[in-house]
Amino acid sequence: MSYNAWENLVKKQLKTDDIYSVLKKENLEGIEVKPFYESVEQPLVNLPKIEENTHLVANYHESLIDDVFAFLLDQNVENLEQKTIFVNNTDLAGHISPKEEDRYFSLIDVFDEKEAVINDQLVKELLAKQFRRNICVDISLHQNAGAAIYQQLGIALAKTKELVEIYGAEILNKLVFRIAIGPNYFFEMAKLRAFKIIFNQLSKEYGLDEIPYIFAETSLRNKAVSDKENNLIRSTLELASAMIGGADAVFSNNYLVDRNTENSEEISFKQQIVLAYESIINVFEDASNGSYYIEDITQQIAEKSWALFVEIEEAGGYLELLQQGTIQKESTNMP
């Protein structure tokens, strides 16, 4: 259907010529969403991910050992062979001595948000490990605190810049970005895609051509203690957004907010299994590529995020603004 044909049809159905005042909807991100797309001004190239297939990550339990290939570990487990391991505990990381063939990734954030510093000793200890990715930049805490999408991504770049200035540009391919996925289905797909664009843009400032490693997890911000069924629906949509958006690994936080049970852990993980095995959305590199709508909002989010990153840098950088309290204030007050 052409744009003119669509416009005439909608005018007839809405019984008004002023259809755009009816169809226009504001959103908290400040992103312009059109009611109809027939093209995109500047089509994006395919946005790759690092892993061939998105890892489906489960909290470790011995009952899952034969069926799960990627675990999140908070405590030491012996003889985990041919598994992908995401280490979520600082003390555990200190005791692990991976072999070269092991696939270990760090989810340990090296930023001390309270003191507004980078834990230099921890960074050096983690970099000495034979992990596939040694340093985690945790953006999930900003999403869960109320930050807008462009704020999350602008902060992610600002944190990355702080690390590069201290440890050099070679640290870029040692990073894992831990990102919480919110409820805005298409916007969250665009968020991951936009981050790939601006991270690559930052890497090119240092003569590199890097892709971010994205560990995506379900948000805690929109889950309720007394609404467990809706929690499941929300987290399923968030996982789908992450897979379609091109995350390298996905993890579902327990849908029972106030307690963890063996059954709830299993159900939370099996959301990923159903999505992956029934729709195979975890195998595509950039499943939403070519969608005019998602392409358009991806570019808008990328532009807003980069502009915020530049603003943070001009104001002294992430740690400086964190020390001043600016980051905390802005992250919890969406526009």
Side-chain angles (χ1 to χ4, degrees):
M1 179 182 286
S2 70
Y3 184 80
N4 287 336
W6 170 84
E7 192 174 48
N8 290 331
L9 178 62
V10 175
K11 285 179 180 179
K12 182 179 179 181
Q13 290 177 335
L14 294 181
K15 299 178 181 179
T16 178
D17 288 337
D18 188 20
I19 62 173
Y20 295 101
S21 63
V22 177
L23 296 175
K24 185 177 181 181
K25 301 293 182 183
E26 300 293 333
N27 59 75
L28 294 174
E29 304 293 341
I31 299 298
E32 180 187 359
V33 176
K34 301 173 185 176
F36 184 90
Y37 293 83
E38 61 177 352
S39 65
V40 64
E41 187 173 322
Q42 188 175 7
L44 294 172
V45 297
N46 198 52
L47 298 172
K49 59 185 181 184
I50 292 173
E51 299 287 3
E52 184 177 353
N53 295 335
T54 301
H55 285 304
L56 312 178
V57 184
N59 273 320
Y60 175 79
H61 192 277
E62 59 184 8
S63 65
L64 300 174
I65 194 71
D66 293 329
D67 301 316
V68 177
F69 300 99
F71 285 111
L72 186 148
L73 285 190
D74 284 303
Q75 57 188 8
N76 192 33
V77 179
E78 299 292 340
N79 301 319
L80 275 179
E81 297 180 355
Q82 297 182 327
K83 303 292 184 184
T84 296
I85 305 298
F86 293 89
V87 180
N88 198 39
N89 180 288
T90 304
D91 293 334
L92 175 59
H95 291 92
I96 289 177
S97 298
K99 299 174 184 176
E100 190 172 344
E101 65 271 18
D102 291 335
R103 291 181 54 83
Y104 278 76
F105 295 80
S106 171
L107 291 181
I108 300 164
D109 190 6
V110 296
F111 284 83
D112 186 332
E113 303 288 337
K114 290 183 179 179
E115 299 297 327
V117 296
I118 293 172
N119 188 331
D120 181 63
Q121 181 63 31
L122 180 58
V123 172
K124 290 175 179 176
E125 289 175 3
L126 289 171
L127 288 175
K129 297 286 182 181
Q130 289 192 21
F131 287 1
R132 298 300 176 95
R133 296 267 167 164
N134 307 68
I135 306 297
C136 177
V137 179
D138 190 354
I139 311 304
S140 66
L141 60 95
H142 299 284
Q143 194 277 340
N144 287 316
I149 285 174
Y150 77 92
Q151 291 174 326
Q152 296 166 45
L153 302 191
I155 287 170
L157 275 198
K159 283 184 165 184
T160 302
K161 181 75 180 302
E162 295 280 2
L163 289 168
V164 169
E165 288 183 348
I166 298 172
Y167 304 103
E170 59 270 17
I171 203 170
L172 289 174
N173 66 7
K174 300 181 185 299
L175 301 178
V176 175
F177 291 89
R178 187 171 191 168
I179 299 177
I181 304 299
N184 197 331
Y185 188 64
F186 294 109
F187 274 43
E188 293 294 329
M189 294 178 201
K191 177 171 82 174
L192 298 189
R193 300 180 80 245
F195 185 58
K196 293 182 181 189
I197 293 171
I198 61 175
F199 179 85
N200 182 256
Q201 185 176 341
L202 178 64
S203 77
K204 286 180 177 177
E205 298 286 331
Y206 299 97
L208 302 172
D209 189 20
E210 297 291 343
I211 304 166
Y213 193 104
I214 296 175
F215 179 97
E217 63 181 281
T218 56
S219 176
L220 301 175
R221 175 168 133 190
N222 60 344
K223 307 302 186 295
V225 172
S226 59
D227 208 4
K228 59 185 180 181
E229 289 82 8
N230 275 336
N231 289 347
L232 272 173
I233 295 169
R234 290 167 182 150
S235 57
T236 300
L237 291 171
E238 290 161 7
L239 290 167
S241 289
M243 292 183 193
I244 296 170
D248 294 288
V250 294
F251 175 74
S252 182
N253 286 300
N254 199 308
Y255 73 96
L256 294 181
V257 177
D258 59 337
R259 67 190 187 281
N260 283 10
T261 67
E262 186 175 326
N263 188 50
S264 68
E265 289 280 2
E266 183 178 358
I267 291 173
S268 296
F269 171 68
K270 285 187 174 177
Q271 291 175 276
Q272 304 173 39
I273 297 292
V274 171
L275 285 169
Y277 289 8
E278 295 296 329
S279 64
I280 63 170
I281 55 175
N282 65 316
V283 305
F284 296 104
E285 188 170 66
D286 188 10
S288 58
N289 182 269
S291 163
Y292 296 148
Y293 169 46
I294 296 176
E295 295 261 299
D296 184 64
I297 61 176
T298 294
Q299 293 181 58
Q300 289 188 65
I301 291 170
E303 289 168 5
K304 288 194 70 171
S305 302
W306 185 267
L308 177 61
F309 163 63
V310 171
E311 184 181 321
I312 291 172
E313 289 305 300
E314 289 176 347
Y318 177 76
L319 293 176
E320 175 65 27
L321 294 186
L322 188 65
Q323 194 170 38
Q324 295 174 11
T326 304
I327 295 292
Q328 298 90 322
K329 181 180 177 181
E330 294 299 324
S331 293
T332 54
N333 289 280
M334 289 179 60

